[in-house]
Amino acid sequence: MDPNGGAVAAFALALRRLRAQAGNASYRELSERVGFSPSVLSAATNGFSLPTLQVTLALVEACGGDRNEWTRTWQRIAGQEDAGRSSRRRRPVPAATSTTGEAERQGDAGRPTPAQLPVPPRHFAGRTAEMDRLTGFVLNTDTGTPLLISGPIGVGKSALTIHWGHEHSGHFPDGVLYADLAGREHGYDVLSYFLHALGCPREQTETNERDRSALYRSLLGRRRVLVVLDNATDEAQVRPLLAGSRGSHVIITSRNRLAGLEGVERFTLDVMSPEESLAVLGAIVGREQVAAEREVARALAELCDHLPLALWTTAVRVAVRPAWNLAYALDQLRDNTRRLEQVDSGDLGLGKRLRDMYSALGALPAWAWRAVSASPGGDPEASVLAGQMCLPLHVVEEVLESLVDVGLLIGTPTPGRYRMPLLFRLFVAEVAEQTAPPPHAGRAPAILTAG
């Protein structure tokens, strides 16, 4: 790092030297002491932007530095950064400026910096490798390529993204934009919302869709903004909200892999490892209780399929019931007829999300999902299901891939093989009892075999 690269670079270099003087502990070791992830601590010393005061002081105290001295230094540099931004905002705009420049000038006059992320998950734990991967791609590359995080229902896509966004919001001095795309037909209505948050007067947001999208991309090209597009369902929702700016970054979460979306980096989120599952339980019910009932906690995590949503719901049930412990919760989960009920929690529960998605399936995907749930073992094969359903293999593979895209099935590295969490199987078993067999059961429908 160039020590003459500015105040922020010099500050990061001083943090590195302090860490070296304290024995050069790894960021993972420091993370265990201070409670911030290794990726956050690493980003604090990369010199790209000034870390938050909270992160700075945590790192300083872990390395034996003087808290008051570092606070004064941080405040001085933060003041310089704020003054620099204010100076840039007050810079006169030439008379021949475009409408984009005019919108930016008017918006910066008194509008607060957008900070739209929802409240971060309080008991976030695990996902160290995923956090590091997010940091490496978003903060250590300058391509501006949007990032798509996909995965099955309950795997924690939104929680990971929102948690990461809060920890790294300091890298985006011009703000953080957030939109939940669930239930929206397209993304053009979000454009007006974003443009207004970025300082555009209302008349600038009431133009046609193409002009709004161009204005939005122009604004992001001049700023350093994080854009989070949560729960996208299709490509049309997302396309108007993408931008190729090197300073700004777009992160998309979706159950769907959005195969028709070009120019994005894809990142598939899977279930947690056993150790990460224990970390989630410990963050909610207490590390001491998990340590005292470690084998019980492992069995409980296994029955939750290592799905973050199921783990969180189960742990909260223990935490809010003083008479419960992990062993009692495990006994509840062992009852297959009530297990899904135990990991459900109102509109946030796994059961609610599965019911909503299942009710939206067509007849053929719903039939295929029930057939998958009834297959022996945990890894159904498309070729076997094709024989059972009396359908061509290519038809079954397409249907199974569509189930992956809506978060009801998990793909594997082996072509034609899939995984279905046991909790999903239990749900399907419930609905299968109430569902009549399809009219073409036992023979391929003519519409599927023609040609």
Side-chain angles (χ1 to χ4, degrees), residues 186-189 191 209 212-214 216-217 229 235-243:
H186 54 71
Y188 284 108
D189 57 336
L191 272 177
E209 296 173 347
R212 272 183 290 161
S213 187
Y216 166 76
R217 291 193 299 270
L229 307 175
E235 294 87 347
Q237 284 183 315
V238 173
R239 285 195 184 100
L241 302 169
L242 298 183

CSV table of all heavy atoms in Angstrom, one decimal, residues 186-189 191 209 212-214 216-217 229 235-243:
chain,number,residue,atom,x,y,z
A,186,HIS,N,-42.8,-5.7,-12.5
A,186,HIS,CA,-41.6,-5.3,-13.2
A,186,HIS,C,-40.9,-4.3,-12.3
A,186,HIS,O,-41.4,-3.8,-11.3
A,186,HIS,CB,-41.8,-4.7,-14.6
A,186,HIS,CG,-42.8,-3.6,-14.6
A,186,HIS,ND1,-42.5,-2.3,-14.1
A,186,HIS,CD2,-44.1,-3.5,-15.1
A,186,HIS,CE1,-43.6,-1.5,-14.3
A,186,HIS,NE2,-44.5,-2.2,-14.9
A,187,GLY,N,-39.7,-3.9,-12.7
A,187,GLY,CA,-38.9,-3.0,-11.9
A,187,GLY,C,-39.0,-1.6,-12.2
A,187,GLY,O,-38.4,-0.7,-11.5
A,188,TYR,N,-39.8,-1.2,-13.1
A,188,TYR,CA,-39.8,0.2,-13.5
A,188,TYR,C,-40.4,1.1,-12.4
A,188,TYR,O,-40.1,2.3,-12.3
A,188,TYR,CB,-40.6,0.4,-14.8
A,188,TYR,CG,-39.8,0.0,-16.0
A,188,TYR,CD1,-40.1,-1.2,-16.7
A,188,TYR,CD2,-38.7,0.8,-16.5
A,188,TYR,CE1,-39.3,-1.5,-17.8
A,188,TYR,CE2,-37.9,0.4,-17.6
A,188,TYR,CZ,-38.3,-0.8,-18.2
A,188,TYR,OH,-37.5,-1.2,-19.3
A,189,ASP,N,-41.4,0.6,-11.6
A,189,ASP,CA,-41.9,1.4,-10.6
A,189,ASP,C,-40.9,1.6,-9.5
A,189,ASP,O,-40.9,2.7,-8.8
A,189,ASP,CB,-43.2,0.8,-10.0
A,189,ASP,CG,-43.0,-0.6,-9.5
A,189,ASP,OD1,-42.0,-1.3,-10.0
A,189,ASP,OD2,-43.7,-1.1,-8.6
A,191,LEU,N,-37.8,2.2,-10.1
A,191,LEU,CA,-36.9,3.2,-10.6
A,191,LEU,C,-37.3,4.6,-10.0
A,191,LEU,O,-36.4,5.4,-9.6
A,191,LEU,CB,-37.0,3.3,-12.1
A,191,LEU,CG,-36.0,2.4,-12.9
A,191,LEU,CD1,-36.3,2.5,-14.4
A,191,LEU,CD2,-34.6,2.7,-12.6
A,209,GLU,N,-40.2,5.1,-19.3
A,209,GLU,CA,-39.4,4.0,-18.6
A,209,GLU,C,-37.9,4.1,-19.1
A,209,GLU,O,-37.0,3.9,-18.3
A,209,GLU,CB,-40.0,2.7,-18.8
A,209,GLU,CG,-41.4,2.5,-18.2
A,209,GLU,CD,-42.1,1.3,-18.5
A,209,GLU,OE1,-41.6,0.6,-19.4
A,209,GLU,OE2,-43.1,0.9,-17.8
A,212,ARG,N,-36.0,7.0,-17.6
A,212,ARG,CA,-35.8,6.9,-16.2
A,212,ARG,C,-34.6,5.9,-15.9
A,212,ARG,O,-33.8,6.1,-15.1
A,212,ARG,CB,-37.0,6.3,-15.5
A,212,ARG,CG,-38.0,7.4,-15.0
A,212,ARG,CD,-39.1,6.8,-14.2
A,212,ARG,NE,-40.0,6.1,-15.1
A,212,ARG,CZ,-40.9,5.2,-14.8
A,212,ARG,NH1,-41.0,4.8,-13.5
A,212,ARG,NH2,-41.7,4.6,-15.6
A,213,SER,N,-34.6,4.8,-16.7
A,213,SER,CA,-33.5,3.8,-16.6
A,213,SER,C,-32.2,4.4,-16.9
A,213,SER,O,-31.2,4.2,-16.2
A,213,SER,CB,-33.8,2.6,-17.4
A,213,SER,OG,-32.9,1.6,-17.2
A,214,ALA,N,-32.1,5.3,-18.0
A,214,ALA,CA,-30.9,5.9,-18.4
A,214,ALA,C,-30.4,6.9,-17.3
A,214,ALA,O,-29.2,7.0,-17.0
A,214,ALA,CB,-31.1,6.6,-19.7
A,216,TYR,N,-31.1,6.8,-14.1
A,216,TYR,CA,-30.6,6.0,-13.0
A,216,TYR,C,-29.2,5.5,-13.2
A,216,TYR,O,-28.4,5.6,-12.3
A,216,TYR,CB,-31.6,4.8,-12.8
A,216,TYR,CG,-31.2,3.7,-11.9
A,216,TYR,CD1,-31.2,3.8,-10.5
A,216,TYR,CD2,-30.8,2.5,-12.5
A,216,TYR,CE1,-30.9,2.7,-9.7
A,216,TYR,CE2,-30.4,1.4,-11.7
A,216,TYR,CZ,-30.5,1.5,-10.3
A,216,TYR,OH,-30.1,0.5,-9.5
A,217,ARG,N,-28.9,4.9,-14.4
A,217,ARG,CA,-27.6,4.4,-14.6
A,217,ARG,C,-26.5,5.5,-14.6
A,217,ARG,O,-25.4,5.4,-14.1
A,217,ARG,CB,-27.5,3.7,-16.0
A,217,ARG,CG,-28.3,2.4,-16.0
A,217,ARG,CD,-28.0,1.6,-17.3
A,217,ARG,NE,-28.3,2.3,-18.5
A,217,ARG,CZ,-29.5,2.2,-19.1
A,217,ARG,NH1,-30.5,1.4,-18.5
A,217,ARG,NH2,-29.8,2.8,-20.2
A,229,LEU,N,-31.4,-5.7,-4.5
A,229,LEU,CA,-32.7,-6.1,-5.1
A,229,LEU,C,-33.0,-7.5,-4.6
A,229,LEU,O,-32.5,-8.5,-5.0
A,229,LEU,CB,-32.6,-6.1,-6.7
A,229,LEU,CG,-32.0,-4.9,-7.3
A,229,LEU,CD1,-31.9,-5.1,-8.8
A,229,LEU,CD2,-32.9,-3.7,-7.0
A,235,GLU,N,-36.4,-12.1,-14.7
A,235,GLU,CA,-35.4,-11.2,-15.3
A,235,GLU,C,-36.0,-9.8,-15.6
A,235,GLU,O,-35.3,-8.8,-15.4
A,235,GLU,CB,-34.9,-11.8,-16.6
A,235,GLU,CG,-34.1,-13.1,-16.4
A,235,GLU,CD,-34.9,-14.3,-16.4
A,235,GLU,OE1,-36.2,-14.2,-16.3
A,235,GLU,OE2,-34.4,-15.4,-16.6
A,236,ALA,N,-37.3,-9.7,-16.0
A,236,ALA,CA,-37.9,-8.5,-16.3
A,236,ALA,C,-37.9,-7.5,-15.2
A,236,ALA,O,-37.8,-6.3,-15.3
A,236,ALA,CB,-39.3,-8.7,-16.9
A,237,GLN,N,-38.1,-8.0,-13.9
A,237,GLN,CA,-38.0,-7.2,-12.8
A,237,GLN,C,-36.7,-6.5,-12.6
A,237,GLN,O,-36.6,-5.3,-12.2
A,237,GLN,CB,-38.3,-8.0,-11.5
A,237,GLN,CG,-39.7,-8.4,-11.3
A,237,GLN,CD,-39.8,-9.2,-10.0
A,237,GLN,OE1,-39.0,-10.0,-9.7
A,237,GLN,NE2,-40.8,-8.9,-9.2
A,238,VAL,N,-35.6,-7.2,-12.9
A,238,VAL,CA,-34.3,-6.8,-12.6
A,238,VAL,C,-33.6,-5.9,-13.6
A,238,VAL,O,-32.9,-5.0,-13.3
A,238,VAL,CB,-33.4,-8.0,-12.3
A,238,VAL,CG1,-31.9,-7.7,-12.1
A,238,VAL,CG2,-33.9,-8.8,-11.1
A,239,ARG,N,-33.9,-6.2,-14.9
A,239,ARG,CA,-33.1,-5.5,-16.0
A,239,ARG,C,-33.1,-4.0,-15.9
A,239,ARG,O,-32.1,-3.4,-16.0
A,239,ARG,CB,-33.7,-6.0,-17.3
A,239,ARG,CG,-33.3,-7.4,-17.7
A,239,ARG,CD,-33.5,-7.6,-19.2
A,239,ARG,NE,-33.2,-9.0,-19.6
A,239,ARG,CZ,-34.0,-10.0,-19.7
A,239,ARG,NH1,-35.3,-9.7,-19.5
A,239,ARG,NH2,-33.7,-11.2,-20.0
A,240,PRO,N,-34.2,-3.3,-15.6
A,240,PRO,CA,-34.2,-1.9,-15.6
A,240,PRO,C,-33.4,-1.3,-14.4
A,240,PRO,O,-33.0,-0.1,-14.4
A,240,PRO,CB,-35.7,-1.5,-15.4
A,240,PRO,CG,-36.5,-2.7,-15.7
A,240,PRO,CD,-35.6,-3.8,-15.4
A,241,LEU,N,-33.0,-2.2,-13.4
A,241,LEU,CA,-32.4,-1.7,-12.2
A,241,LEU,C,-30.9,-2.1,-12.2
A,241,LEU,O,-30.2,-1.9,-11.1
A,241,LEU,CB,-33.1,-2.3,-11.0
A,241,LEU,CG,-34.6,-2.0,-10.9
A,241,LEU,CD1,-35.3,-2.8,-9.8
A,241,LEU,CD2,-34.8,-0.5,-10.6
A,242,LEU,N,-30.4,-2.6,-13.3
A,242,LEU,CA,-29.0,-3.0,-13.3
A,242,LEU,C,-28.2,-1.8,-13.8
A,242,LEU,O,-28.7,-0.9,-14.5
A,242,LEU,CB,-28.7,-4.2,-14.2
A,242,LEU,CG,-29.4,-5.5,-13.8
A,242,LEU,CD1,-29.1,-6.6,-14.8
A,242,LEU,CD2,-29.0,-5.9,-12.4
A,243,ALA,N,-26.9,-1.8,-13.4
A,243,ALA,CA,-26.0,-0.7,-13.8
A,243,ALA,C,-24.6,-1.3,-13.9
A,243,ALA,O,-24.2,-2.1,-13.1
A,243,ALA,CB,-26.1,0.5,-12.9
